[in-house]
Amino acid sequence: MDLPGAPDITLREGRLMVEGVAAVDLARRFKTPLYVYSSAVMAHALASYQNALAGRDHLLCYAVKANSALAVLQWFARRGCGFDIVSGGELERVLAAGGDPQRIVFSGVGKTRAEMERALAVDVLCFNVESIGELELLSEVASGTGRRARVSLRVNPDVDAKTHPYISTGLRANKFGIAHEDAPAAFARASRLPGIEVAGIDCHIGSQIVDADPYVDALDRLLDLVERVEADGVPLAHIDVGGGLGITYRDETPPDAGALVARLLERIDARGHGHRKIVFEPGRSLVGNAGVLVTEVLYLKPGSERNFCIVDAAMNDLMRPAMYGAWMRIVECAPAQAAAVTWDVVGPICESGDWLGRERTLAVAPGDFVAVLSAGAYAMSMASNYNTRPRAAEVMVSGSEAVLIRERESLADLTRGEHLLGDDARAPA
Ligand code: LLP
């Protein structure tokens, strides 16, 4: 089987292989549920961006939220990537993984004073500011420490990315960015604030975008603003077009990253902005197809209306199906012994919304392993402990080597920091 976007994750004679390692062997060795990532697939995705950007003044900022495992961040840092972060927690992760603060852009609508202080102290490259209130607080915080914060203003271009409403961010109705029509005044304000140094402009119109046109529309809107703001006397050194490029989960046909970048650069050049530094913030398109979630079949429960295949991974491990109705491919990890049946693949959590895939034809028996594909992005990073389920372990494969990059959580991890009540005289006998 050919897995789109994941040339090194293959089905070889019915065995799911992550590079040179069989998923079944990893499941036995590290137990399930288990996230497995292929470094070759990540390298392939990264090269697609890097090749298209070669020779350009650019910064590729991996969006940490997609997969924030320290080893994954370290992998990107070692390859010269910057990072797009949205919290103080993500900042500390990047630093712990050896990321360069001078390659960090700090996005997000709700940065706190403490987060600003810390990001200023480590001297991040840029704050992507989303409101006038944030701009004013940042100026105050920076001035208080005798610094000036480099900022980019995130503009909401009011462009429809044509994706799921929960992950569309560039519409007027979304909470993100400064409205396009308000942007010139916001830049003028920023340029007058004592603790602010205006560095650029940015936007991010959504995620899992499978069409290049909304990007070009958003870029055009940004360039209109660049011209207007510079005519007003505020120079802008960089343009940050955000992230959002989609991947193939089922039959989507997103543009290849290289093709998208080439198209945007062409537009930038055609409009006479080729000298500017360009920043990208991709997350999913760098790691999404590189990961699989391996899970064991616990029980088969055929029914009069639906057949349930109950596995040991659940919505707490993989929220995307429950939260967005996302379709993610599920395959057997080894050649089928059983007959193929149409199953709803569900987890052990006590909610009917706890499903990983519906109406999937699978030949499985209890004790077999199946894998959810394209689970490298927004899977483990969105995992929770609901139903007091420890979060899964993570493994990174490179060739024939598999490294445990995150241990499975223990029950002690889950209750750490909790306290029982003291004696309570009023408690009922
Ligand atoms: N930059 C900013 C400011 C963002 O908000 C995001 C994602 C990115 C970059 C990276 O976008 P990407 O290249 O990964 O599409 N949990 C959802 C996706 C939420 C995306 C949020 N923002 C999902 O599972 O589909």
Side-chain angles (χ1 to χ4, degrees):
M1 184 183 62
D2 201 18
L3 303 176
D8 303 277
I9 300 179
T10 52
L11 272 179
R12 226 183 277 162
E13 289 159 8
R15 284 166 75 77
L16 180 67
M17 302 293 295
V18 179
E19 303 191 28
V21 186
V24 166
D25 293 342
L26 293 172
R28 296 216 171 94
R29 180 167 158 207
F30 296 105
K31 310 300 176 216
T32 54
L34 180 72
Y35 280 104
V36 183
Y37 309 121
S38 156
S39 78
V41 175
M42 284 160 53
H44 181 79
L46 179 59
S48 191
Y49 278 97
Q50 283 179 333
N51 293 341
L53 286 162
R56 283 281 177 155
D57 187 6
H58 74 274
L59 184 61
L60 203 53
C61 290
Y62 166 64
V64 172
K65 64 172 79 67
N67 185 325
S68 51
L70 289 179
V72 169
L73 303 181
Q74 178 193 36
W75 189 97
F76 282 107
R78 282 185 173 167
R79 284 157 184 80
C81 290
F83 297 92
D84 167 55
I85 61 164
V86 291
S87 71
E90 288 191 348
L91 174 57
E92 298 309 327
R93 280 188 170 274
V94 170
L95 297 176
D100 176 2
Q102 277 295 301
R103 289 169 187 242
I104 292 177
V105 298
F106 192 169
S107 302
V109 293
K111 303 176 194 77
T112 64
R113 178 186 284 269
E115 287 173 326
M116 289 174 179
E117 282 166 356
R118 176 69 177 145
L120 283 165
V122 301
D123 201 20
V124 299
L125 176 67
C126 184
F127 290 83
N128 288 351
V129 170
E130 304 224 11
S131 64
I132 298 294
E134 180 191 339
L135 194 59
E136 287 174 347
L137 178 61
L138 182 59
S139 176
E140 182 195 313
V141 173
S143 302
T145 62
R147 299 168 200 264
R148 289 173 82 203
R150 284 176 297 274
V151 306
S152 158
L153 294 192
R154 176 169 175 178
V155 173
N156 184 328
D158 198 25
V159 164
D160 187 356
K162 301 190 187 75
T163 183
H164 190 284
Y166 286 9
I167 53 176
S168 181
T169 51
L171 287 170
R172 206 183 286 273
N174 302 135
K175 70 181 173 184
F176 299 97
I178 293 168
H180 189 271
E181 62 274 21
D182 298 336
F187 274 105
R189 175 104 184 92
S191 70
R192 288 194 301 268
L193 285 170
I196 299 294
E197 179 187 328
V198 177
I201 186 167
D202 68 281
C203 75
H204 171 78
I205 55 174
S207 196
Q208 185 53 16
I209 302 169
V210 294
D211 178 1
D213 292 344
Y215 275 103
V216 179
D217 293 347
L219 174 65
D220 267 328
R221 304 266 290 161
L222 274 195
L223 294 177
D224 292 346
L225 275 177
V226 170
E227 288 161 12
R228 164 80 196 274
V229 169
E230 289 203 334
D232 291 346
V234 183
L236 297 174
H238 78 249
I239 304 174
D240 176 348
V241 296
L245 177 60
I247 60 171
T248 303
Y249 287 100
R250 187 177 201 170
D251 50 11
E252 306 87 341
T253 52
D256 167 74
L260 174 70
V261 171
R263 180 148 173 219
L264 295 178
L265 293 180
E266 202 176 288
R267 188 80 193 138
I268 288 172
D269 290 346
R271 291 195 50 177
H273 293 271
H275 56 289
R276 281 178 216 284
K277 178 174 189 153
I278 175 126
V279 181
F280 284 85
E281 303 171 359
R284 187 190 322 257
S285 52
L286 288 175
V287 291
N289 283 138
V292 303
L293 172 61
V294 183
T295 177
E296 183 180 338
V297 175
L298 299 176
Y299 302 101
L300 295 177
K301 194 174 166 186
S304 56
E305 263 186 47
R306 328 270 306 175
N307 298 318
F308 294 104
C309 168
I310 303 168
V311 298
D312 68 357
M315 66 190 282
N316 73 299
D317 301 298
L318 188 65
M319 294 255 283
R320 304 194 69 258
M323 191 157 172
Y324 314 111
W327 192 97
M328 299 173 73
R329 189 177 298 279
I330 301 176
V331 299
E332 299 95 344
C333 291
Q337 307 292 328
V341 174
T342 300
W343 300 105
D344 280 6
V345 181
V346 300
I349 284 183
C350 303
E351 298 214 17
S352 296
D354 178 26
W355 55 277
L356 302 180
R358 286 183 170 148
E359 297 185 3
R360 305 304 176 86
T361 304
L362 292 167
V364 283
D368 287 351
F369 298 107
V370 298
V372 185
L373 305 186
S374 308
Y378 303 112
M380 181 58 176
S381 64
M382 294 175 72
S384 79
N385 294 120
Y386 188 38
N387 277 206
T388 305
R389 289 170 51 87
R391 286 181 305 160
E394 293 178 294
V395 165
M396 174 88 81
V397 170
S398 185
S400 57
E401 231 185 284
V403 176
L404 181 67
I405 61 167
R406 188 195 309 245
E407 293 172 20
R408 188 173 304 287
E409 273 177 334
S410 67
L411 195 62
D413 291 333
L414 265 58
T415 52
R416 182 153 34 93
E418 291 193 40
H419 302 282
L420 292 171
L421 298 172
D423 284 346
D424 185 345
R426 289 163 303 170

